[in-house]
Amino acid sequence: SESNSESRGALIVLEGLDRSGKTSQSSSLLKYLEGLGHSAELWRFPDRSTDVGQMISSYLTNKSQLDDHTVHILFSANRWEKRSLMETKLKSGTTLIVDRYSFSGVAFSSAKGLGIEWCKAPEVGLLAPDLVLYLDIQPEKAAERAGYGGERYEQLEFQRKVAQCYEVLCDASWKIIDACQPMEDIEKQLQEIVLDCVTICQKGKPLSNLWS
Ligand code: NYM
């Protein structure tokens, strides 16, 4: 009902394999929403600017070694340390475009062999996204793209496993976008879906928590 619902920003998450185009598409979406006069911000996880984020970053660049469980919990902690700011921003009417979220956390760790339920547990209680956009690309195609192979995890064999884990995680609410289309086509598709979502949240769709 309209009476007890508050207008708010939308929590929009982009997911996909490494080099699927999430970062470019996130920036493009931000410009699009700002161009329409919406308040919007681009966020990404891991957020390497925090202390926890720096531990993650040195792990990803192979400057440190961490046990798989440990790094999983650090990735989750990196989201938890942003949860309250996230809620404040959304409630103040700002839409957040988020480049990776809990689904990356679960997909990458379960691809290493950690149990999926174990991986999901620390994510329970984080804000649930209003929209998950999955940029779908074959691991082989992603591997051909520039910049691939620099960090830990950017290995074809591992990315194949990650793709399988995303398939297990994905539900009917996810929007699957073919990431091999021309960039402008992807942009147009994303814009339409995102605008719908922003409108629904403006009308006061309630916030909810993972994992549901
Ligand atoms: N990654 C990212 C995880 O393993 N768990 C997580 O929770 C998140 C958010 O970090 N290969 C992995 C996926 C990427 C890597 O992300 C760094 P990016 O988007 O390349 O900065």
Side-chain angles (χ1 to χ4, degrees):
S1 75
E2 299 286 335
S3 54
N4 56 5
S5 58
E6 301 265 349
S7 179
R8 64 169 177 89
L11 179 54
I12 295 164
V13 168
L14 280 86
E15 288 284 358
L17 298 182
D18 290 300
R19 312 307 299 172
S20 56
K22 295 179 302 303
T23 304
S24 312
Q25 292 297 337
S26 303
S27 323
S28 158
L29 276 173
L30 178 70
K31 282 195 203 117
Y32 170 72
L33 289 176
E34 287 177 337
L36 292 175
H38 290 284
S39 165
E41 287 182 14
L42 177 48
W43 284 26
R44 71 178 308 148
F45 289 108
D47 176 343
R48 303 187 194 212
S49 71
T50 69
D51 290 343
V52 173
Q54 280 171 30
M55 292 179 70
I56 294 170
S57 184
S58 80
Y59 170 80
L60 288 171
T61 54
N62 290 302
K63 292 190 190 93
S64 69
Q65 308 303 320
L66 290 168
D67 160 75
D68 292 344
H69 303 81
T70 308
V71 76
H72 181 79
I73 290 167
L74 288 180
F75 272 114
S76 185
N78 187 231
R79 285 183 279 280
W80 275 104
E81 62 185 342
K82 293 285 166 180
R83 190 197 181 285
S84 69
L85 183 60
M86 196 176 239
E87 184 167 351
T88 304
K89 294 268 180 188
L90 293 170
K91 287 186 169 164
S92 77
T94 299
T95 284
L96 303 178
I97 310 284
V98 185
D99 183 353
R100 295 193 182 283
Y101 196 55
S102 303
F103 313 98
S104 284
V106 177
F108 280 77
S109 291
S110 63
K112 293 170 166 175
L114 302 186
I116 201 154
E117 293 309 321
W118 189 90
C119 291
K120 281 172 142 182
E123 308 297 319
V124 173
L126 289 170
L127 291 172
D130 297 298
L131 178 62
V132 180
L133 299 165
Y134 184 75
L135 294 188
D136 190 24
I137 189 168
Q138 284 181 301
E140 294 74 18
K141 292 270 185 233
E144 290 166 9
R145 294 187 170 184
Y148 191 86
E151 286 198 334
R152 198 187 285 266
Y153 300 151
E154 295 182 5
Q155 309 271 347
L156 182 53
E157 217 27 67
F158 186 71
Q159 297 281 323
R160 285 197 182 108
K161 287 188 189 146
V162 175
Q164 287 172 354
C165 294
Y166 269 126
E167 258 180 60
V168 174
L169 270 182
C170 120
D171 67 42
S173 71
W174 288 28
K175 304 291 181 194
I176 315 287
I177 314 293
D178 176 0
C180 286
Q181 302 173 90
M183 233 169 99
E184 308 74 58
D185 295 0
I186 301 175
E187 281 173 356
K188 286 221 181 72
Q189 287 165 30
L190 294 182
Q191 288 171 1
E192 194 177 325
I193 302 168
V194 161
L195 196 55
D196 268 356
C197 175
V198 167
T199 306
I200 291 168
C201 293
Q202 271 179 337
K203 287 181 182 157
K205 177 191 171 200
L207 270 173
S208 62
N209 290 333
L210 287 177
W211 199 280
S212 54

